[in-house]
Amino acid sequence: MASRAATSLFDTSIIADRWIADYRAHAPAGDVLVGREAGDPGWSSLFEELAALSGDSLGAARERAQRHAEDIGTGFRIAGEGEERRWPLSPVPLLIDKTEWETIAAGVAQRAELLETVLRDLYGEAQLVADGHVPAALVTGSPYFLRPLAHLAPPGGSHLAFVAMELCRGPDGAWRVLADHLRAPAGAGYALENRLAMARTLGGLQTRLNIERHAPFFATFRDGLAALCRRDEPRVALLTPGRLNASYAEQAHLARYLGFLLVEGADLAVLDDQLYVRTIAGLKRVDALWRRIDPRLLDPLALDSHSTIGVPGLIDAMAAGNVVVANAPGAGLLESPAFAAFLPRLAEVLTGAALALPNVATWWCGQDAERAHVEANLDSLLIGPAFGPQPLGLPGEGPVAGHTLDAAARAALLDDMARRPQDYVGQEMVRLSTMPMVTDGALVPRPFTVRVFAARGGDGQWTVLPGGFARIAGHPETAAAVMGEGSWSADVIVHGAEPVAPVSLLPAADSVQLRRNPGTLPSRVADNLFWLGRYLERGEALLEVIRVLLGHSIGADTGAALAEDTVARLARLIVHAEAAPEPKGLKRADLNQLARTALEAEQGWYSVRAINRQAKLIGEVSRERLSADMIRLLDAPFPDRGVLLERAGTLQRRYSALAGQAAEHMARTDAWRFHDMGRRVERAMSTIRFVRAFGGPEGTSDDLSTLLDLMDSQISYRQRYLTGIARLPVIDLVVLDPSNPRAVAFQAMAIHEHLSRLPVLSDDGLAEPQQEQARELAAQLATTRADRIHDSMLAGIEGRLGRLSDAVARRYFLHGAEPLRAAGLVLA
């Protein structure tokens, strides 16, 4: 055994050495791997781990890393696209030695503190403007300057709590800053997810390379936010624009990891200068917001009045010191490229030291000499917008290399620059270093940038995440990698000679106060989970009708297995559900078309595909509440292989898996109660429709058998009754039997149980309207007999279920600007 292990290690070493040697032979001189010594232990260990994982196949290693990223649920969205894309993760991380990283981290922390100092002045006394160090037009002319925030000191005194910076490594090995991200810095969640995926892919690398961990950084950030709040145990929320935001998946992952509430603007309300989240138990106080929405949209009363995703009164709550907003609105003022031209000088003025991480050289054209320099050196510079929005003289989006402009474009640029020079900056052309990436099963050099992150801790000092994530260009000639079509990401690993303690984000076990309260449930989340349950049951019920129609009427070569009247009733159920148009007749071709439309129609009909799409949308906004397996099932593509009945079977198995996930993997919290209650309401209503269609006094044996098929109760019936199918026993089993999980009575009891355990707003002990309605419905079903069931009673029960669902919505879900001072309102 020892000999076999030694041989395996020797083989991986040979493979790794060959990969490195082949790569060095054609990589440019400034590459991160070419610049290392031939026997560099870091890169050798990395490629030995890759060889141990996939043998001599780098393509297999790439697939493994990608699969782990998908298992974690990592995704992103390109602006303007409705569907998320999978996160492109390279199996080859970027390695940075701890000594080199300490220099980078010191430069990042220095820059973050400089940015904080400048913001404090510009939104305060503006002495830098008065002394001529910053042109007034650079501040007041920027769309990122929020005038209502002038002279407003943020709670705790800091404008910045979390920053990101885009770094590039030149061919000479020197690091520089390409851009600062201060408004709503994105990407830390991707760095965390990359690390999780790589830990699963290359599990042995942690101990071999002594990799610095991410958890202490996130713990420091969480402690830093808490330290700014007025309460000892503050409630912190991550404010998201919603599921269509490009990095929504990352935001959901971060909220879950950090234990923050994931909220949207509609979840929040300001009352008496305090910020609250609307929950199923009333308004609960929020002490800090980590915002990921445009600051101009935060508060329609103080900022952009057209905002529909902000929180009216939020700025007042912030000014009163009652809520910490990180980063403070207005911090994006220093994010504009124009400010990069002044930071080197400001560092000398304010700190007496040069920037440890220099900027890319920048010239703001709002100054005569700088504009003249840009015009004279147009062919050797990048010309870009000074403040973010694209000026009229630049084609496309973002910076443009001057030498790529034709005569007409060049003339248009210079003409507009003469009219509005303040809208433009010139920047030096950056040559990027390269790193290894797997393409077509081989290692190839590709340019890269690195996004790094810094957070303010509880002591007010900056902590830098050890690593970050690299963005790798899809083509060797790309000057700067932008995540999008054809680009990849990679984990950034900081490693050293000393062992790293296995730190977790969780506190020590003996210091944790035990609790079984799962925490706050926002009303929007309860609403989403309730309707997720309803949509899944609705889709399954429609699918069951389609399967019975296919399996018993048009699936047999010998002809229809059900009477024509029974088949007609099945078709009417589909038509009344608006899943398909009325069929021309009941011939095989007509029923096939009916089933096909009801199953997979793209538009115009409420098909199974359409219902699944609604469930998927809810899954996208509930990532922090649902398991990764459940999200994958909701995201799974609609089946397109096999005949209709086979596709219906595939969907049925998927619905069963989703039900199993909810039943066996969701803790019995209030969140689960709303999801299960939605299922129960919808199942009861579907059952009543089936009974009204097939269980009437005129129902035939085919009708009653079809009803048992639709209710998945054939076995239960035949175990209980051996003399054949009769109407009253069938009605009793599917409507009144409290032990049958498909029966209406079972659903009513479950709904009543859920509502009895949900929070109430008053202390008088009296039942709320939704609880009264559920109790009355359960009592009605418990005290009636099968021979008393008739169509009008069933219609009345169906109506009661609809009113009960409405009562649940009125009590627990969001309804726009409902009165905040409701009777018995809970404030905590």
Side-chain angles (χ1 to χ4, degrees):
M1 184 66 71
S3 175
R4 185 180 303 173
T7 301
S8 174
L9 180 60
F10 180 71
D11 291 343
T12 59
S13 298
I14 291 177
I15 294 171
D17 289 344
R18 186 178 72 252
W19 283 342
I20 293 173
D22 290 346
Y23 181 79
R24 286 173 178 269
H26 63 268
D31 185 89
V32 294
L33 181 52
V34 173
R36 305 295 177 184
E37 297 179 1
D40 182 273
W43 288 99
S44 296
S45 296
L46 166 61
F47 285 112
E48 285 174 13
E49 286 289 326
L50 281 172
L53 170 72
S54 58
D56 203 10
S57 174
L58 284 166
R62 172 169 161 166
E63 289 301 318
R64 178 76 67 89
Q66 190 65 62
R67 186 164 61 252
H68 284 310
E70 291 174 4
D71 288 344
I72 293 169
T74 313
F76 74 106
R77 180 179 279 106
I78 296 292
E81 293 185 353
E83 294 294 324
E84 278 190 357
R85 299 187 181 192
R86 66 178 189 172
W87 183 251
L89 176 62
S90 169
V92 183
L94 174 66
L95 302 185
I96 300 179
D97 181 81
K98 186 176 181 179
T99 302
E100 181 180 10
W101 179 256
E102 287 174 348
T103 302
I104 295 171
V108 170
Q110 178 207 28
R111 189 179 185 90
E113 189 57 33
L114 172 64
L115 294 170
E116 173 65 48
T117 303
V118 175
L119 280 171
R120 190 179 299 124
D121 176 83
L122 295 181
Y123 278 100
E125 299 303 318
Q127 196 61 45
L128 292 172
V129 174
D131 293 343
H133 298 301
V134 175
L138 191 64
V139 178
T140 58
S142 172
Y144 301 137
F145 177 66
L146 302 183
R147 195 177 301 274
L149 278 298
H151 301 289
L152 191 159
S158 297
H159 290 76
L160 300 175
F162 193 95
V163 301
M165 299 174 191
E166 207 77 32
L167 306 185
C168 68
R169 180 184 186 272
D172 59 355
W175 291 89
R176 287 189 291 175
V177 178
L178 285 173
D180 300 298
H181 302 284
L182 309 177
R183 282 181 296 166
Y190 291 132
L192 177 62
E193 291 167 334
N194 281 356
R195 176 59 53 85
L196 292 174
M198 291 311 300
R200 297 180 184 181
T201 305
L202 303 174
L205 204 59
Q206 175 67 48
T207 53
R208 292 187 70 173
L209 290 186
N210 299 318
I211 298 172
E212 295 290 328
R213 298 176 182 267
H214 287 351
F217 169 82
F218 289 103
T220 298
F221 170 55
R222 193 172 62 183
D223 293 345
L225 274 184
L228 297 175
C229 300
R230 290 181 171 179
R231 294 198 297 177
D232 290 337
E233 295 188 12
R235 182 177 287 115
V236 182
L238 191 156
L239 178 59
T240 174
R243 68 172 186 86
L244 293 180
N245 186 258
S247 60
Y248 179 80
E250 178 223 10
Q251 296 163 27
H253 184 83
L254 278 174
R256 182 187 300 201
Y257 181 70
L258 290 166
F260 294 172
L261 282 176
L262 185 65
V263 298
E264 298 180 20
D267 297 327
L268 303 173
V270 173
L271 183 65
D272 295 335
D273 289 342
Q274 296 279 8
L275 181 65
Y276 296 94
V277 59
R278 306 169 197 251
T279 80
I280 62 169
L283 299 181
K284 301 294 182 181
R285 183 173 167 184
V286 174
D287 302 276
L289 280 181
W290 187 17
R291 62 169 183 82
R292 294 292 289 271
I293 75 173
D294 188 319
R296 291 168 295 188
L297 304 179
L298 271 177
D299 184 345
L301 297 181
L303 300 168
D304 187 344
S305 61
H306 296 93
S307 172
T308 60
I309 63 173
V311 186
L314 178 60
I315 298 302
D316 287 339
M318 178 181 163
N322 293 327
V323 60
V324 175
V325 180
N327 291 329
L333 173 64
L334 304 191
E335 192 176 290
S336 59
F339 251 100
F342 296 87
L343 285 178
R345 173 60 182 161
L346 290 174
E348 297 279 0
V349 170
L350 296 173
T351 69
L355 288 171
L357 284 177
N359 292 356
V360 171
T362 305
W363 295 266
W364 179 48
C365 295
Q367 298 170 295
D368 293 339
E370 283 73 10
R371 173 190 163 197
H373 174 85
V374 170
E375 290 177 343
N377 296 274
L378 198 63
D379 289 338
S380 62
L381 296 176
L382 280 175
I383 311 302
F387 299 108
Q390 196 81 349
L392 295 177
L394 282 180
E397 296 183 6
V400 176
H403 68 273
T404 65
L405 297 173
D406 59 26
R410 186 186 187 99
L413 170 63
L414 292 174
D415 183 56
D416 193 59
M417 192 182 293
R419 287 194 302 270
R420 293 189 58 85
Q422 69 272 20
D423 291 344
Y424 294 88
V425 294
Q427 292 183 310
E428 66 173 311
M429 299 281 287
V430 178
R431 292 187 59 210
L432 300 179
S433 179
T434 56
M435 66 173 287
M437 176 181 158
V438 177
T439 298
D440 296 329
L443 288 175
V444 296
R446 290 290 183 264
F448 70 94
T449 62
V450 174
R451 182 166 292 193
V452 299
F453 306 91
R456 192 183 298 277
D459 59 358
Q461 302 302 307
W462 289 98
T463 297
V464 180
L465 177 72
F469 75 88
R471 303 201 294 179
I472 309 172
H475 304 283
E477 68 274 7
T478 303
V482 176
M483 187 53 60
E485 189 70 41
S487 297
W488 287 78
S489 77
D491 188 18
V492 178
I493 288 176
V494 176
H495 65 101
E498 299 297 325
V500 177
V503 179
S504 169
L505 187 62
L506 301 175
D510 56 0
S511 68
V512 176
Q513 181 178 355
L514 297 179
R515 67 169 59 179
R516 292 181 179 173
N517 177 1
T520 304
L521 181 63
S523 295
R524 177 182 54 86
V525 176
D527 192 350
N528 287 335
L529 293 175
F530 179 81
W531 277 99
L532 177 61
R534 289 201 63 171
Y535 285 137
L536 291 176
E537 283 292 327
R538 187 174 298 177
E540 187 172 4
L542 176 58
L543 183 65
E544 199 61 45
V545 176
I546 295 170
R547 292 183 72 212
V548 172
L549 181 67
L550 290 171
H552 289 287
S553 64
I554 57 177
D557 293 335
T558 56
L562 291 176
E564 186 172 290
D565 285 347
T566 303
V567 173
R569 289 188 176 96
L570 287 167
R572 277 198 298 273
L573 280 174
I574 292 175
V575 172
H576 289 165
E578 300 183 355
E582 187 83 36
K584 296 179 181 178
L586 297 180
K587 295 181 180 179
R588 182 186 297 269
D590 298 326
L591 296 176
N592 256 318
Q593 184 57 46
L594 176 74
R596 186 182 304 278
T597 302
L599 185 70
E600 59 186 21
E602 291 278 2
Q603 295 178 346
W605 299 104
Y606 201 44
S607 63
V608 174
R609 184 193 292 269
I611 295 171
N612 284 2
R613 188 180 299 119
Q614 290 177 307
K616 178 182 177 181
L617 292 177
I618 293 179
E620 288 181 359
V621 299
S622 306
R623 289 176 180 270
E624 81 283 11
R625 299 281 175 170
L626 302 176
S627 69
D629 287 337
M630 201 164 183
I631 292 295
R632 276 194 294 274
L633 287 168
L634 292 169
D635 286 346
F638 201 82
D640 58 2
R641 294 183 179 181
V643 298
L644 277 177
L645 193 57
E646 291 174 351
R647 298 207 290 277
T650 298
L651 287 168
Q652 182 61 46
R653 290 187 291 274
R654 191 178 299 171
Y655 279 123
S656 297
L658 284 163
Q661 284 286 323
E664 299 298 330
H665 297 278
M666 289 184 75
R668 281 0 186 205
T669 62
D670 289 343
W672 169 78
R673 293 191 183 283
F674 278 99
H675 177 69
D676 194 66
M677 188 161 47
R679 284 184 174 274
R680 302 301 172 186
V681 169
E682 192 66 37
R683 184 178 296 180
M685 297 177 80
S686 297
T687 299
I688 290 173
R689 295 187 190 111
F690 294 159
V691 174
R692 294 182 69 188
F694 298 100
E698 74 287 353
T700 66
S701 59
D702 272 359
D703 289 337
L704 295 174
S705 180
T706 297
L707 177 57
L708 291 174
D709 283 339
L710 292 171
M711 298 302 302
D712 196 21
S713 296
Q714 283 278 12
I715 294 176
S716 297
Y717 183 88
R718 297 185 187 283
Q719 286 179 336
R720 199 171 301 183
Y721 304 102
L722 304 179
T723 58
I725 294 180
R727 177 177 176 271
L728 290 183
V730 170
I731 296 299
D732 181 73
L733 177 63
V734 302
V735 177
L736 301 177
D737 189 343
S739 67
N740 180 10
R742 314 297 298 186
V744 179
F746 186 96
Q747 318 313 318
M749 290 175 56
I751 295 168
H752 173 55
E753 172 69 13
H754 288 324
L755 288 173
S756 68
R757 291 178 175 269
L758 289 175
V760 295
L761 290 182
S762 61
D763 298 324
D764 56 17
L766 299 177
E768 294 185 341
Q770 73 281 357
Q771 295 172 324
E772 290 178 353
Q773 292 180 38
R775 183 169 58 196
E776 291 170 358
L777 177 60
Q780 178 187 5
L781 290 164
T783 55
T784 195
R785 297 195 320 229
D787 58 356
R788 297 175 183 171
I789 298 292
H790 49 79
D791 188 73
S792 60
M793 176 186 287
L794 291 171
I797 293 174
E798 185 177 1
R800 296 186 79 165
L801 284 164
R803 291 190 293 274
L804 175 57
S805 178
D806 291 341
V808 169
R810 280 193 301 272
R811 165 60 182 85
Y812 294 110
F813 305 156
L814 298 179
H815 287 281
E818 75 274 21
L820 293 178
R821 294 186 181 276
L825 188 68
V826 178
L827 300 178

